[in-house]
Amino acid sequence: MTATLPWSGRTDHHCFGCSPRNAAGLQLSFEDAEDGLSAQFCLDKHYESYPGVVHGGILAVICDETMGNLIVMRLGVPALTTSMRMRYVGVVRVGGRYRCLARAEVKPDLVHATAEILDSAGMVVGTATATYLPRGSQL
């Protein structure tokens, strides 16, 4: 089932990661999945680092977007990233099909989240862990 963000209909929503109105952005969309949230993506050479390889910073954005938006879906409020660690264990190729899967554990003041980037065969090619600070109202 497609997950809808609370601000998705706003005309001032221009998020680099998930706004369909940001032509330079990733335009990610999210689906409920496996006790979490997922985003499927296939990136072109505009997001390239080495020839044919997606830039690692873009993969970090995808993980952060998926984890952060999972928190929005669960808590109903935005959450600010306080720390994040990426681990790259495989190559993400330009033009390849991938999926980011995020899960989160809500603590009293912070939310701890994890994400995996999976290739089309289901192999993990990247992981992220992060901590988020929920905000009491919409930004």
Side-chain angles (χ1 to χ4, degrees):
M1 169 187 274
T2 301
T4 304
L5 296 167
W7 45 76
S8 63
R10 291 174 50 163
T11 58
D12 63 345
H13 177 228
H14 294 285
C15 176
F16 175 76
C18 65
S19 175
R21 291 177 198 80
N22 187 337
L26 299 171
Q27 301 181 8
L28 297 171
S29 60
F30 303 97
E31 294 187 4
D32 294 315
E34 304 167 35
D35 292 331
L37 194 68
S38 72
Q40 294 191 29
F41 62 95
C42 177
L43 300 174
D44 64 22
K45 66 180 180 174
H46 291 97
Y47 304 103
E48 187 175 67
S49 174
Y50 295 118
V53 177
V54 174
H55 192 286
I58 296 298
L59 300 175
V61 168
I62 292 169
C63 288
D64 189 36
E65 281 291 307
T66 309
M67 291 184 289
N69 284 320
L70 171 59
I71 296 164
V72 169
M73 299 295 180
R74 289 244 177 107
L75 301 181
V77 296
L80 303 176
T81 311
T82 61
S83 67
M84 185 170 140
R85 181 174 185 196
M86 283 294 303
R87 182 168 179 253
Y88 304 97
V89 296
V91 175
V92 174
R93 302 240 176 247
V94 168
R97 299 218 170 267
Y98 297 89
R99 177 177 177 231
C100 181
L101 175 61
R103 295 184 177 94
E105 179 183 359
V106 178
K107 299 286 187 176
D109 295 326
L110 297 172
V111 179
H112 299 286
T114 61
E116 294 178 323
I117 296 176
L118 308 163
D119 66 14
S120 60
M123 299 297 295
V124 174
V125 293
T127 64
T129 57
T131 303
Y132 295 84
L133 176 63
R135 303 302 299 172
S137 63
Q138 298 293 332
L139 295 175

